[in-house]
Amino acid sequence: MPDLGAPVRVAVVGAGYFGRFHLDAWSRMPDVVLVGLAERDPGRAATALAEIGAPDLPVFSDAAEMADAVSPDLVDITAPPEAHLTLIETLAPKVEHIICQKPFCGGLEGAEAAIRLAESHRTRLAVHENIRFQPWNGEIKRQLDAGLIGTPYQVTFRLRPGDGQGPDAYLDRQPYFQTMPRFLVHETAIHWVDTFRYLLGEVTGVFARLARLNPAIAGEDAGLILFDFDGGARGLFDGNRLSDHAATNRRRTMGEMWVEGSEATLRLDGAGRVWHRPFGATAETERPFDWRDRHFGGDCVYLCNRSILDDWWAGRASPMEAQRYIRNQVIQNAIYRSADTGQYLTV
């Protein structure tokens, strides 16, 4: 364990679209010092480091070389999923703490192998799953725990980012989306599998219907997924990436959510506002809370990494530990099996 009184030495692998959010987040933490970046594209690395005002941060083309040279306490992997397992295999003998982006190791089999590798080297491994850390989801969770809505009946999320129409869909930001054979659930809905579990407890069963609406892409981009939870509540993920919702930034919340209970309903809108309507009432009232409309999803990349770091350096297990996270991937596999077979499946 590093010196708890010293700044945490963090290195990052990858400076792509999402990696830049990670670099920015670490650069704003007063108890963290960035010590290295592994990125094979020098131009991309230079752009990312200029954005955070760290043009002199050492850049390496190889993650193992970086780990040997700068001795980080923690490495944050933001590289594509196909590189995750190899990077964890390379870094686990060298680093005590690893955070890895999702889709984690490309699927359940790779995730299980990564966990075995980390355990064999006594390396702590967490998955960067940031949607549950969006501040509106945190506020809804606080109100659920306080009993504001009474007995929870159902959560519904309508994913409507409006970025998936036409032959150029996703090309300006994440072009690999077009070629993923499994897309909506594997890349996007997995976020709300995790968030639903955070809000309402463990998933016990699923039923799914999936479809491809845009013929320019390889995978599914629309779907309806029903969830049962161990507490008796139900969930509905109603998603497609072609339609939009009312928002000045449609990637802020990615859609709208309702959490319904015996005493009230909470509603999330596209501005990141949470509204409360008591049972029997016709009017909603906004429930203000503090948050930053910065970067992606209310600065949730910062909030996720901050949470993992705080837990680990306090000697606690993080809810994002890889051993806990892979339950999301088990549920994901059940969703695809349900869609393939047309059957309701217990999980």
Side-chain angles (χ1 to χ4, degrees), residues 137-272:
N137 290 328
E139 175 63 16
I140 290 170
K141 175 64 170 174
R142 285 188 290 273
Q143 298 306 328
L144 286 172
D145 290 346
L148 181 68
I149 72 166
T151 302
Y153 291 152
Q154 181 166 316
V155 58
T156 301
F157 185 79
R158 298 179 72 245
L159 178 88
R160 300 290 191 272
D163 59 355
Q165 293 191 16
D168 295 330
Y170 319 115
L171 293 182
D172 62 338
R173 189 181 64 250
Q174 290 161 296
Y176 57 91
F177 281 5
Q178 285 210 354
T179 58
M180 295 176 73
R182 290 183 166 185
F183 175 43
L184 182 77
V185 181
H186 179 68
E187 167 56 40
T188 307
I190 187 72
H191 288 302
W192 281 272
V193 171
D194 180 74
T195 299
F196 282 7
R197 293 176 63 218
Y198 168 60
L199 295 176
L200 290 182
E202 196 51 80
V203 172
T204 59
V206 295
F207 178 77
R209 296 291 301 273
L210 306 177
R212 184 181 63 170
L213 301 182
N214 185 348
I217 72 169
E220 83 285 357
D221 54 8
L224 298 171
I225 309 168
L226 297 173
F227 298 85
D228 285 329
F229 298 94
D230 56 3
R234 297 174 298 176
L236 169 63
F237 175 88
D238 168 7
N240 81 73
R241 297 202 63 140
L242 286 73
S243 301
D244 64 6
H245 66 288
T248 56
N249 173 3
R250 294 188 178 93
R251 286 183 57 76
R252 182 185 292 114
T253 65
M254 301 281 283
E256 300 167 326
M257 184 159 66
W258 292 259
V259 185
E260 301 166 89
S262 58
E263 302 298 326
T265 295
L266 294 172
R267 179 176 66 88
L268 168 68
D269 69 15

Side-chain angles (χ1 to χ4, degrees), residues 15 31 37 51 56 72 152 166 178 191 219 246 266 271 293-294 310 316 336 341:
D31 53 348
L37 169 65
E51 288 176 349
D56 298 325
Q178 285 210 354
H191 288 302
L266 294 172
D293 195 8
R294 179 167 183 163
D310 286 346
R316 300 186 298 263
Y336 279 115
T341 63

Side-chain angles (χ1 to χ4, degrees), residues 18-343:
F18 234 87
R20 287 154 73 171
F21 296 143
H22 286 248
L23 285 163
D24 172 83
W26 293 120
S27 74
R28 289 187 279 129
M29 297 185 193
D31 53 348
V32 166
V33 57
L34 281 168
V35 294
L37 169 65
E39 170 55 62
R40 294 178 179 177
D41 184 330
R44 188 156 60 184
T47 298
L49 296 182
E51 288 176 349
I52 63 169
D56 298 325
L57 187 73
V59 177
F60 302 84
S61 60
D62 180 79
E65 179 188 353
M66 176 183 69
D68 290 336
V70 302
S71 301
D73 300 319
L74 183 154
V75 172
D76 185 8
I77 297 172
T78 74
E82 59 269 20
H84 290 175
L85 184 57
T86 299
L87 284 166
I88 291 167
E89 183 178 20
T90 298
L91 293 168
K94 303 173 182 290
V95 182
E96 292 186 19
H97 305 84
I98 298 173
I99 299 174
C100 187
Q101 254 289 355
K102 46 69 61 190
F104 180 44
C105 295
L108 183 59
E109 183 177 349
E112 291 174 335
I115 289 169
R116 290 193 297 269
L117 280 167
E119 289 177 340
S120 70
H121 294 284
R122 298 186 179 181
T123 296
R124 300 194 80 163
L125 177 62
V127 180
H128 181 92
E129 174 53 80
N130 53 58
I131 296 296
R132 76 153 66 185
F133 291 95
Q134 290 182 335
W136 36 86
N137 290 328
E139 175 63 16
I140 290 170
K141 175 64 170 174
R142 285 188 290 273
Q143 298 306 328
L144 286 172
D145 290 346
L148 181 68
I149 72 166
T151 302
Y153 291 152
Q154 181 166 316
V155 58
T156 301
F157 185 79
R158 298 179 72 245
L159 178 88
R160 300 290 191 272
D163 59 355
Q165 293 191 16
D168 295 330
Y170 319 115
L171 293 182
D172 62 338
R173 189 181 64 250
Q174 290 161 296
Y176 57 91
F177 281 5
Q178 285 210 354
T179 58
M180 295 176 73
R182 290 183 166 185
F183 175 43
L184 182 77
V185 181
H186 179 68
E187 167 56 40
T188 307
I190 187 72
H191 288 302
W192 281 272
V193 171
D194 180 74
T195 299
F196 282 7
R197 293 176 63 218
Y198 168 60
L199 295 176
L200 290 182
E202 196 51 80
V203 172
T204 59
V206 295
F207 178 77
R209 296 291 301 273
L210 306 177
R212 184 181 63 170
L213 301 182
N214 185 348
I217 72 169
E220 83 285 357
D221 54 8
L224 298 171
I225 309 168
L226 297 173
F227 298 85
D228 285 329
F229 298 94
D230 56 3
R234 297 174 298 176
L236 169 63
F237 175 88
D238 168 7
N240 81 73
R241 297 202 63 140
L242 286 73
S243 301
D244 64 6
H245 66 288
T248 56
N249 173 3
R250 294 188 178 93
R251 286 183 57 76
R252 182 185 292 114
T253 65
M254 301 281 283
E256 300 167 326
M257 184 159 66
W258 292 259
V259 185
E260 301 166 89
S262 58
E263 302 298 326
T265 295
L266 294 172
R267 179 176 66 88
L268 168 68
D269 69 15
R273 296 174 298 188
V274 175
W275 299 86
H276 170 239
R277 185 182 63 80
F279 181 78
T282 57
E284 297 178 312
T285 57
E286 184 180 355
R287 298 194 67 86
F289 58 99
D290 292 332
W291 64 284
R292 293 177 292 192
D293 195 8
R294 179 167 183 163
H295 296 314
F296 175 73
D299 213 13
C300 63
V301 173
Y302 179 100
L303 295 170
C304 180
N305 284 352
R306 183 74 256 179
S307 174
I308 296 169
L309 187 65
D310 286 346
D311 282 337
W312 280 352
W313 260 248
R316 300 186 298 263
S318 166
M320 308 320 297
E321 304 271 356
Q323 296 92 332
R324 300 183 182 189
Y325 179 83
I326 62 168
R327 175 69 180 176
N328 293 324
Q329 292 171 291
V330 171
I331 296 166
Q332 172 188 280
N333 286 357
I335 290 168
Y336 279 115
R337 290 199 307 274
S338 174
D340 289 343
T341 63
Q343 296 178 330

